[in-house]
């Protein structure tokens, strides 16, 4: 690899790889999109804030070498894995319940017009919910940790600066992508307010995806 600035090797490969990784569908981006569609731009950015903080924690863990710890102690990985799978499953089931209520009340003019009005109050904290989804995803932890490490020159005197620049690139890319999703969500919200059946169907689809993420995570391995 060619030498780079601030101890980063082949920075353009990293940038392209980061863009590809962030564009891959995942529970974080899907949650931000669905939150914006249900509750508007402000809630969408609060959910995005949870993703940013979660990603920041994962970046710190990558610099601390947690990947090696998880590989050295498989039971720790199993605890994180099943906790994450259980939480994603809980989110999916809660969305299904909200979709069912939405469908049941589709012809009731007095029914709430927002999708998440049918969800329990405990599920209406987008920042905390996105943060938990981010932190309880061991596949993402291991992937990002391994990816970041590949681009840091082990002989560089100040590796913290290398990780800081890598993290900044990832966070800016993520912010641009999530902003696009948030404003896409506001367009979907306008459609959902007029078409309750569409809203219920969309919520059901998102719920099924979260249940799929849960199953995939439960079968993941180091």
């Amino acid at each position: 690899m060619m030498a780079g600035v601030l101890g980063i090797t082949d920075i353009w490969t990293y940038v392209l790889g980061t863009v590809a990784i962030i564009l891959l569908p995942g529970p974080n981006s899907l949650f931000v999109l669905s939150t914006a569609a249900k509750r508007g731009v402000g809630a969408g950015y609060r959910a995005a804030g949870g993703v940013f903080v979660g990603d920041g924690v994962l970046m710190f863990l990558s610099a601390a070498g947690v990947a090696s710890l998880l590989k050295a102690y498989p039971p720790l990985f199993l605890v994180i894995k099943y906790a994450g799978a259980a939480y994603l499953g809980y989110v999916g089931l809660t969305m299904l319940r909200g979709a069912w209520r939405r469908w049941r009340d589709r012809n009731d003019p007095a029914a709430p017009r927002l999708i998440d009005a049918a969800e329990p109050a405990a599920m209406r904290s987008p920042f905390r919910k996105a943060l938990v989804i981010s932190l309880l995803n061991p596949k993402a932890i291991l992937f990002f940790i391994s990816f970041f490490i590949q681009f840091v020159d082990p002989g560089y005197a100040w590796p913290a600066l290398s990780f800081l620049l890598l993290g900044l690139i990832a966070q800016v890319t993520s912010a641009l992508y999530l902003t696009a999703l948030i404003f896409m969500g506001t367009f979907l919200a306008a459609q959902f307010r007029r078409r309750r059946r569409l809203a219920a169907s969309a919520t059901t689809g998102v719920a099924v995806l979260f249940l799929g993420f849960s199953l995939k995570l439960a079968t993941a391995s180091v």
Side-chain angles (χ1 to χ4, degrees):
M1 290 186 178
M2 64 179 180
V5 296
L6 294 179
I8 298 175
T9 59
D10 204 353
I11 190 170
W12 291 113
T13 298
Y14 170 76
V15 170
L16 292 174
T18 298
V19 171
I21 292 166
I22 290 175
L23 290 179
L24 288 174
N28 289 351
S29 57
L30 186 61
F31 177 69
V32 171
L33 174 62
S34 62
T35 298
K38 290 184 287 188
R39 302 178 59 188
V41 172
Y45 273 112
R46 289 196 293 275
V51 174
F52 296 149
V53 173
D55 286 349
V57 172
L58 297 185
M59 293 169 195
F60 174 79
L61 294 177
S62 71
V66 172
S68 299
L69 179 64
L70 292 176
K71 292 179 181 179
Y73 297 97
L76 179 60
F77 176 80
L78 291 177
V79 170
I80 298 175
K81 179 178 77 169
Y82 289 123
Y87 187 75
L88 291 179
Y90 169 65
V91 172
L93 290 174
T94 301
M95 287 183 172
L96 277 180
R97 185 168 66 172
W100 165 245
R101 291 179 179 178
R102 181 81 178 180
W103 179 263
R104 184 188 59 193
D105 300 333
R106 64 191 184 279
N107 295 320
D108 182 1
R113 301 188 70 83
L114 293 178
I115 302 173
D116 70 322
E119 295 181 357
M123 293 298 292
R124 297 179 193 168
S125 177
F127 177 88
R128 183 174 66 246
K129 195 169 169 186
L131 178 61
V132 174
I133 290 173
S134 296
L135 295 179
L136 292 180
N137 191 342
K139 285 290 275 189
I141 293 173
L142 292 178
F143 185 80
F144 281 108
I145 287 174
S146 299
F147 185 71
F148 285 153
I149 290 174
Q150 292 180 31
F151 295 91
V152 176
D153 183 356
Y156 186 63
W158 299 283
L161 291 177
S162 305
F163 280 105
L164 182 61
L165 181 55
L166 292 176
L168 181 62
I169 292 171
Q171 292 285 49
V172 170
T173 304
S174 178
L176 293 174
Y177 177 57
L178 292 180
T179 293
L181 291 182
I182 287 169
F183 284 96
M184 182 187 300
T186 59
F187 168 77
L188 294 175
Q191 304 301 314
F192 293 156
R193 288 190 182 96
R194 294 193 298 267
R195 306 173 185 176
R196 295 184 180 183
R197 293 186 181 184
L198 176 62
S201 299
T203 304
T204 300
V206 172
V208 170
L209 286 175
F210 267 91
L211 292 175
F213 288 136
S214 174
L215 180 61
K216 183 177 180 180
L217 181 54
T219 58
S221 64
V222 178

